[in-house]
Amino acid sequence: MDKPVIVTVDDDPGVSRAVARDLRRRYGQEYRIVRAEAARDGIEAVKEMRLRGDEVAAILADYRMPQMNGVQFLEAAMDMYPYARRVLLTAYADTDAAIQAINVVDLDHYMLKPWDPPEEKFYPVIDGQLDAWLRTERIERSELRVVGDRWSARSYQVRDFLARNHVPYQWMLAEDPEGAQLVKAAGEDCHLPLVVTADGVTLESPDQATLATAVGLSTTPATDFYDLIVVGGGPAGLGAAVYGASEGLNTVLVEAYSSGGQAGQSSRIENYLGFPDGVSGQQLADRARRQALKFGAELLTARKVVTLEPRGQARVVGFKDGGEIAAHAVILATGVTYRRLDAPGLDEFVSRGVFYGAALTEAPACKDSEVYIVGAANSAGQAAVYLSGFASKVHLLVRSDGLEKSMSHYLIEQIAASPNIEVHLQTEVVGGGGTGHLERLTLLAKGEEHTVDAQWLFVFIGAEPYTSWLGETVERDAKGFVLTGPDLVQGGKRPRNWPLRREPYFLETNVPGVLAAGDVRADSIKRVASAVGEGAMAVALVHRYLEKQ
């Protein structure tokens, strides 16, 4: 195999040569050193390496470069090599910029120039970065190809599943030359979408479990009994998995679709503590997923939990496709899903122009088109701002007479400052139509109906909890949200079946050993930070419960 690459980019020829010299002296036998004296040359070199299939272990970029600064360079490079370790070279005056870059590009380290002697100030840092790269699970799936139809709901679902699970793929239409060749090679009776793996294995219209297994996601539990089962992989579930595993509990997280939940669909979260420049929901979810794996948590994907049953001291969950696992305790973090629009003609176009949630995989296809968004909460505002970077115009449809009661102030300001976002108050969708995909919408605006041409509709209109599978086991309110703590108190007394006397119990359900955290819990605060906090608190309560057993 070819040696993995260390890339260094610095526009100062003397510094560039010195960096490359020091790198070759220490790492030349095991790594290939590639240097560039201009940011554009560096990007071109990285692109060529990506096309050749080279592995890049680390990228060192100078902060002050005329064409693009080091932060911009690393941000562009990470799209092609997300696992490469990223190091920013800075002068003392640029340390503030380096600290900000930690959040912008997930910077791994920044180094002050000069670093003489390298044995003390340079090599120990690079040793640590290369060691971290070698220990990182790097499953490259760049050759995965998906062939389908533009307005096929199933094709969208496959692409969305891959994107939200951070699996790179190449998308092509069945009528394109390369796509047609792959379909022909698969056979005359090929059912789209067609998925072709790096090994040449073909999957025709695969279900989620088959697709997950094919791309290397874990779907089979390692054992049949755990300390803790977390059901749901949103912020609350990921928080519980991280804290459970880091505190020594044998923890498994079960997710039916992809980690991140609704937050994972957000294009940019700007009010989450510690990320002053914002972070996408996918980035936040991926960091949390990797953090949970680092502490030893087991993550199962594409496994849907459909039953929960207490059996003595065990709590047993059953899967839709068969099988079950048990644990001492269970945390319910199944989150919520967006409610459907009750408008004639829309249901048949779901995933064919009508999308519930941000559907970030579709954003590039919206280029130079007009898109419509329904909703007035933060998720709708974030989607509007993000899609405005692709669409010629974004129409935000709001049923009420303003955004102030339901949307954060910073988003209202961003929307007002975006020239291609138009807010339509007292407006709702009352119908839709088209042939094969969405082509028009009927809007009711201040009592008057009118029809508009529309191929894209994104809907964010409140939430429904995924709890019907709990049956009569766990108590819920009239809307299906799980009742916990004070909501379960009858006549001023807490339920007797919980043994935690004089302890906090606001996350505890009516079933001992079963807790609820995040949006699925009745009266929870619908924020990413509060969901993560509840996941962590639930683990603390699990410890106290186990101590009493």
Side-chain angles (χ1 to χ4, degrees):
M1 293 180 61
D2 292 336
K3 296 178 181 179
V5 182
I6 299 175
V7 179
T8 172
V9 184
D10 196 308
D11 66 311
D12 185 320
V15 174
S16 178
R17 286 192 294 270
V19 175
R21 179 200 64 217
D22 287 344
L23 289 172
R24 289 193 183 98
R25 182 181 301 166
R26 177 77 166 239
Y27 308 105
Q29 290 187 351
E30 298 178 355
Y31 295 86
R32 182 160 57 94
I33 312 302
V34 174
R35 76 177 182 93
E37 295 181 3
R40 289 176 185 170
D41 293 341
I43 288 294
E44 289 304 314
V46 170
K47 287 181 179 178
E48 290 178 10
M49 286 184 280
R50 195 70 185 91
L51 292 174
R52 289 198 304 264
D54 295 337
E55 282 196 294
V56 172
I59 304 174
L60 289 69
D62 180 49
Y63 175 68
R64 292 195 177 187
M65 293 189 290
Q67 296 167 336
M68 64 172 69
N69 65 38
V71 174
Q72 295 168 330
F73 179 89
L74 291 172
E75 190 170 20
M78 73 183 291
D79 290 335
M80 292 174 277
Y81 283 102
Y83 298 107
R85 307 298 291 183
R86 293 172 284 277
V87 179
L88 191 68
L89 306 179
T90 70
Y92 182 79
D94 299 323
T95 52
D96 287 345
I99 293 171
Q100 292 177 6
I102 292 173
N103 290 326
V104 176
V105 296
D106 200 10
L107 188 69
D108 294 304
H109 202 88
Y110 70 90
M111 295 180 57
L112 296 178
K113 300 186 295 184
W115 48 75
D116 288 331
E119 288 77 13
E120 295 180 10
K121 299 182 179 181
F122 187 66
Y123 294 144
V125 171
I126 304 303
D127 286 347
Q129 297 305 316
L130 295 178
D131 181 63
W133 179 78
L134 289 170
R135 289 186 286 106
T136 299
E137 180 185 0
R138 303 182 306 279
I139 305 175
E140 295 292 343
R141 310 178 185 91
S142 58
E143 295 181 44
L144 188 75
R145 289 165 289 178
V146 180
V147 185
D149 295 321
R150 176 67 195 88
W151 295 108
S152 161
R154 187 70 193 115
S155 294
Y156 163 75
Q157 290 162 4
V158 166
R159 290 185 292 125
D160 187 60
F161 178 82
L162 294 173
R164 290 179 61 184
N165 282 287
H166 314 284
V167 180
Y169 67 92
Q170 181 183 0
W171 161 247
M172 57 191 73
L173 297 174
E175 58 265 29
D176 291 342
E178 186 177 354
Q181 292 172 6
L182 291 173
V183 171
K184 183 177 180 180
E188 295 181 359
D189 298 327
C190 176
H191 297 285
L192 298 179
L194 174 68
V195 178
V196 184
T197 70
D199 298 327
V201 176
T202 59
L203 306 172
E204 298 182 20
S205 190
D207 58 33
Q208 283 186 16
T210 302
L211 185 59
T213 301
V215 298
L217 297 175
S218 178
T219 60
T220 304
T223 184
D224 57 4
F225 197 92
Y226 297 84
D227 293 323
L228 173 63
I229 298 172
V230 181
V231 184
L238 288 167
V242 167
Y243 280 91
S246 67
E247 294 174 11
L249 296 178
N250 185 12
T251 303
V252 60
L253 183 149
V254 185
E255 168 55 46
Y257 194 73
S258 65
S259 58
Q262 280 192 325
Q265 299 181 59
S266 176
S267 57
R268 199 154 196 86
I269 302 170
E270 296 191 63
N271 59 352
Y272 190 73
L273 184 67
F275 293 88
D277 297 300
V279 61
S280 76
Q282 283 195 352
Q283 286 178 320
L284 190 62
D286 184 51
R287 289 184 182 188
R289 181 190 62 82
R290 288 188 281 120
Q291 194 172 15
L293 291 172
K294 166 189 170 183
F295 287 121
E298 186 179 335
L299 271 60
L300 303 182
T301 305
R303 297 300 300 271
K304 191 171 186 178
V305 175
V306 293
T307 60
L308 171 62
E309 179 185 353
R311 295 182 192 168
Q313 295 300 313
R315 303 293 173 259
V316 182
V317 299
F319 299 118
K320 181 179 180 179
D321 55 358
E324 61 184 27
I325 55 177
H328 295 296
V330 173
I331 295 176
L332 304 175
T334 49
V336 294
T337 58
Y338 289 110
R339 290 204 306 265
R340 294 292 183 98
L341 268 177
D342 186 17
L346 290 185
D347 282 350
E348 61 182 293
F349 300 122
V350 173
S351 301
R352 294 188 295 162
V354 178
F355 303 94
Y356 289 88
L360 301 183
T361 55
E362 297 300 284
C366 297
K367 186 174 177 60
D368 300 328
S369 301
E370 294 194 19
V371 304
Y372 289 78
I373 298 174
V374 178
N378 281 3
S379 53
Q382 290 163 350
V385 172
Y386 179 72
L387 289 170
S388 68
F390 299 88
S392 59
K393 190 162 190 177
V394 175
H395 300 271
L396 182 60
L397 311 181
V398 180
R399 187 170 58 178
S400 65
D401 56 2
L403 296 171
E404 289 75 12
K405 292 182 179 180
S406 54
M407 189 178 293
S408 294
H409 181 67
Y410 79 91
L411 279 172
I412 295 175
E413 288 186 327
Q414 290 181 13
I415 289 171
S418 301
N420 63 334
I421 299 179
E422 183 176 354
V423 180
H424 304 266
L425 301 178
Q426 300 178 28
T427 302
E428 53 188 306
V429 177
V430 295
T435 303
H437 63 90
L438 182 68
E439 294 178 322
R440 59 187 174 275
L441 291 171
T442 302
L443 306 181
L444 179 63
K446 300 179 180 179
E448 296 185 3
E449 284 192 8
H450 65 282
T451 300
V452 296
D453 293 333
Q455 291 187 319
W456 307 98
L457 176 67
F458 300 88
V459 183
F460 306 83
I461 56 167
E464 294 178 345
Y466 172 57
T467 56
S468 58
W469 61 279
L470 291 169
E472 301 298 323
T473 304
V474 176
E475 291 189 22
R476 293 166 285 146
D477 66 11
K479 296 181 179 179
F481 290 93
V482 175
L483 293 172
T484 59
D487 293 329
L488 291 168
V489 172
Q490 301 292 330
K493 297 180 180 179
R494 62 176 302 183
R496 293 182 179 179
N497 55 355
W498 262 100
L500 307 181
R501 306 304 182 199
R502 299 181 301 278
E503 298 288 352
Y505 58 98
F506 74 101
L507 301 179
E508 299 165 5
T509 72
N510 62 296
V511 181
V514 177
L515 301 95
D519 290 356
V520 74
R521 190 177 66 82
D523 297 327
S524 65
I525 298 174
K526 304 299 187 283
R527 288 287 187 272
V528 176
S530 61
V532 173
E534 288 192 7
M537 177 62 76
V539 171
L541 296 178
V542 166
H543 281 295
R544 294 173 182 175
Y545 169 75
L546 295 177
E547 289 173 359
K548 301 292 184 179
Q549 299 308 300

